[in-house]
Amino acid sequence: MSGEKSCCSAKREQVKVDFSDGERHDADIFRSARELEKEMVYMNGGPFLMGSDDHDVNPHDGEGPVREVVVDPFHIDKTVVTNREFKAFIDETGYVTEAEQYGWSFVFHKFIKGENVPFARQRVPDTPWWIVVEKAYWYQPEGPYSNIEKRMEHPVVHVSWNDANAYCKWAGKRLPTEAEWEYAARGGLVQKRYPWGDELTPGGKHMCNIWQGEFPTQNIMEDGYLATAPVYAYQSNGFGLDQMAGNVWEWSSDSFAAEGSQAGETDTKAMRGGSYLCHDSYCNRYRVAARTSNTPDSSSGNIGLRCVRDV
């Protein structure tokens, strides 16, 4: 496994295309969910051990060293933001995501089928499993001939860091810091690899939605899912939070600081938690301490968000 490459996501700056047309492509076919109150969990805060010195850390990601960090009390969403919740935001505000403004987003190659094939425009050179798909965005995750009608309780995807902040502002919340996110993800456990312990599949039970098989060509779906899973599909961690590993990457509020750099020196933003595309043969970033980054305007079919609120 290389610490320099990742299946995590692609950056807009890696490709040069322009399909923007200024039009909206979604349809208002679901009732507003504004009245649905998002369940949040109170975090006591305090000191905890952040980071990892495990043998398989990604040295270029700045996971270590293990250090004591103190976080203030806060509230955090029990789950990532769902399509239903994000649609309520769009319906009420008319917000246009950056994927819509650019006219395209990144879609994993295995998901481009049928009538969406002609909208697949370009592969990312270093990670050819990521395809530029015209008219792909949160409501049409695989292209214009797809929709979220049967995925309303799945995580919203194709959300940039800027989009995530806009949603948080509307919801009266904010994105978590990396320290807040990792404190919550650990679920009260100390220096365990995953939110539930050190074993990936305790007793043979799948605890998160990641890749099984040969990446990036065959996913044998032992965990039950090829792409995103419903937000309540797996057992909660010790704090009652769902899917703090796998399913979709979650934006943080922090700039990404990797080995040899300081926070704020880069123009990328840190993401946590891993996604359904993570596999230990290439990207083991579904561990609690793992991290990666992307540019604030980038979006793909495996990036979402979870919000926090100050006490």
Side-chain angles (χ1 to χ4, degrees):
M1 184 189 68
S2 168
E4 298 182 0
K5 288 187 177 181
S6 158
C7 58
C8 303
S9 58
K11 298 178 174 63
R12 286 200 184 275
E13 62 190 25
Q14 292 177 277
V15 296
K16 302 296 181 184
V17 294
D18 183 8
F19 303 126
S20 59
D21 59 15
E23 295 182 1
R24 292 293 302 278
H25 307 288
D26 58 335
D28 187 14
I29 61 173
F30 300 102
R31 70 178 179 85
S32 172
R34 186 69 174 99
E35 70 275 11
L36 299 180
E37 181 66 25
K38 178 77 171 183
E39 183 177 358
M40 303 192 80
V41 179
Y42 175 74
M43 299 287 104
N44 288 320
F48 79 105
L49 294 179
M50 183 174 179
S52 175
D53 289 327
D54 286 348
H55 70 282
D56 56 351
V57 299
N58 299 294
H60 300 278
D61 288 355
E63 295 181 33
V66 176
R67 64 276 189 196
E68 184 175 270
V69 175
V70 179
V71 295
D72 294 329
F74 62 99
H75 292 91
I76 186 168
D77 287 347
K78 179 175 172 60
T79 73
V80 292
V81 175
T82 66
N83 282 315
R84 183 180 302 279
E85 291 160 344
F86 197 80
K87 188 176 187 301
F89 160 62
I90 299 296
D91 288 347
E92 186 166 308
T93 65
Y95 180 83
V96 180
T97 62
E98 290 195 289
E100 293 170 88
Q101 295 176 46
Y102 279 103
W104 62 273
S105 190
F106 292 109
V107 178
F108 188 66
H109 71 118
K110 298 288 282 185
F111 304 153
I112 306 169
K113 301 176 182 178
E115 294 176 296
N116 285 315
V117 172
F119 295 88
R121 303 298 192 183
Q122 181 179 337
R123 290 183 181 269
V124 178
D126 292 335
T127 52
W129 43 85
W130 283 116
I131 311 293
V132 171
V133 176
E134 186 178 359
K135 294 182 169 59
Y137 69 107
W138 71 272
Y139 187 79
Q140 301 171 171
E142 293 81 47
Y145 290 94
S146 64
N147 61 63
I148 59 170
E149 185 171 355
K150 296 181 179 180
R151 289 179 273 183
M152 296 304 284
E153 305 310 322
H154 285 230
V156 65
V157 293
H158 297 294
V159 175
S160 72
W161 186 84
N162 295 317
D163 298 332
N165 276 285
Y167 176 90
C168 287
K169 183 178 180 179
W170 171 78
K173 303 176 184 179
R174 60 176 174 82
L175 290 176
T177 65
E178 285 195 82
E180 289 172 332
W181 188 94
E182 187 168 326
Y183 173 92
R186 290 189 176 276
L189 301 178
V190 179
Q191 281 295 289
K192 299 298 184 181
R193 289 173 61 80
Y194 310 112
W196 54 86
D198 285 328
E199 189 177 350
L200 180 59
T201 55
K205 181 180 180 180
H206 286 276
M207 303 292 288
C208 64
N209 178 17
I210 57 176
W211 189 282
Q212 295 92 44
E214 186 72 24
F215 184 85
T217 57
Q218 183 187 31
N219 187 344
I220 58 178
M221 301 193 319
E222 291 177 339
D223 60 16
Y225 299 96
L226 179 63
T228 58
V231 297
Y232 293 108
Y234 297 92
Q235 182 176 318
S236 305
N237 75 358
F239 288 153
L241 303 175
D242 292 291
Q243 298 184 30
M244 300 297 289
N247 215 15
V248 295
W249 282 101
E250 302 177 22
W251 288 110
S252 81
S253 61
D254 293 337
S255 294
F256 186 77
E259 186 177 29
S261 66
Q262 300 295 319
E265 287 184 355
T266 66
D267 60 356
T268 58
K269 299 298 181 180
M271 303 190 300
R272 304 299 298 260
S275 83
Y276 58 83
L277 295 179
C278 284
H279 186 269
D280 63 4
S281 69
Y282 200 82
C283 171
N284 67 348
R285 292 177 175 88
Y286 44 86
R287 295 170 296 105
V288 173
R291 58 201 297 265
T292 193
S293 67
N294 212 327
T295 55
D297 64 346
S298 292
S299 62
S300 66
N302 68 337
I303 301 178
L305 75 148
R306 185 187 308 253
C307 307
V308 300
R309 186 172 61 206
D310 294 322
V311 174

